[in-house]
Amino acid sequence: MAIPMQGGSRRRHIRLTLYEGVTAELRVLGIRHYPIHSRAAKALILDLSPGGLRFATPLRFADDVEWLVGLQFMLQGVRLEVRGVIRHSTADPQWREYGVEMDVNPLMRMMITRVLNSRIIKSSPELARMHQAYGRFSLEE
C-alpha cells in the first residue's frame, strides 16, 4: 500500500532538484508483488537522491496499491536505471507527482552519488573540496 509521508520526513539523503527537465522512460514492473511488463511512458524527473526520487506524469496510479516502477534517464552524460516503490503522491488537474523509494542497489547508489556530486561541482566550483569530501563519505556508507 502507498504510504503518504505525513509528519516528519523519513529521507536519509538530501534530494537535488533538477530544474532543466530531465525526462525518463517509466515502466511499471510490479503491482502488489506481482511482476508485470508494461509499455514505456514518459515522466519528468523533479528531484533525485541516492535513495529516492520524485517524478511527474499525467498517468494516475491508485494510492491503495503498491507500485514497483523502473525509470531510465540520462544525467550528466550517464545513463541511470533505477527501480523502486511509489511511496506518496500529490495531484493537480493535469499532472501527478510521485515519490519513489529506490531499491538498495549499491552500484546504482554509488553512480547516482557521483553524478550528483559532479553536477554540484559543475554548478558551484568554489565548493568542489566540500563535495569531494561528501563523495568519499557517501561511498563509505
Side-chain angles (χ1 to χ4, degrees):
M1 182 165 105
I3 302 169
M5 295 197 38
Q6 297 177 0
S9 174
R10 296 177 295 182
R11 291 190 189 121
R12 294 179 51 200
H13 304 280
I14 296 171
R15 289 191 181 177
L16 183 64
T17 301
L18 306 178
Y19 292 105
E20 75 281 2
V22 176
T23 58
E25 283 188 3
L26 167 68
R27 293 182 190 277
V28 175
L29 305 175
I31 300 173
R32 291 191 176 129
H33 306 290
Y34 295 103
I36 66 167
H37 298 285
S38 72
R39 295 188 326 173
K42 294 291 182 192
L44 179 65
I45 305 294
L46 302 172
D47 58 40
L48 177 66
S49 80
L53 62 80
R54 190 169 50 98
F55 70 91
T57 181
L59 300 175
R60 305 284 187 215
F61 296 106
D63 289 334
D64 61 343
V65 175
E66 183 175 276
W67 298 91
L68 176 63
V69 295
L71 295 110
Q72 295 180 4
F73 55 98
M74 294 288 289
L75 190 60
Q76 299 294 111
V78 177
R79 183 165 190 79
L80 299 173
E81 297 182 28
V82 300
R83 53 184 282 157
V85 175
I86 294 177
R87 293 294 181 199
H88 63 90
S89 67
T90 58
D92 69 32
Q94 294 181 345
W95 291 89
R96 193 160 189 142
E97 294 178 7
Y98 296 95
V100 175
E101 180 182 356
M102 287 192 270
D103 286 348
V104 179
N105 177 331
L107 179 59
M108 188 55 61
R109 184 172 290 185
M110 181 179 69
M111 287 176 59
I112 291 169
T113 300
R114 286 184 179 174
V115 167
L116 292 177
N117 281 330
S118 168
R119 183 180 183 85
I120 293 169
I121 290 169
K122 186 176 181 181
S123 66
S124 303
E126 67 278 3
L127 301 175
R129 285 188 344 166
M130 180 182 73
H131 295 293
Q132 288 169 351
Y134 174 72
R136 283 192 302 273
F137 175 74
S138 296
L139 294 176
E140 294 173 2
E141 280 186 25

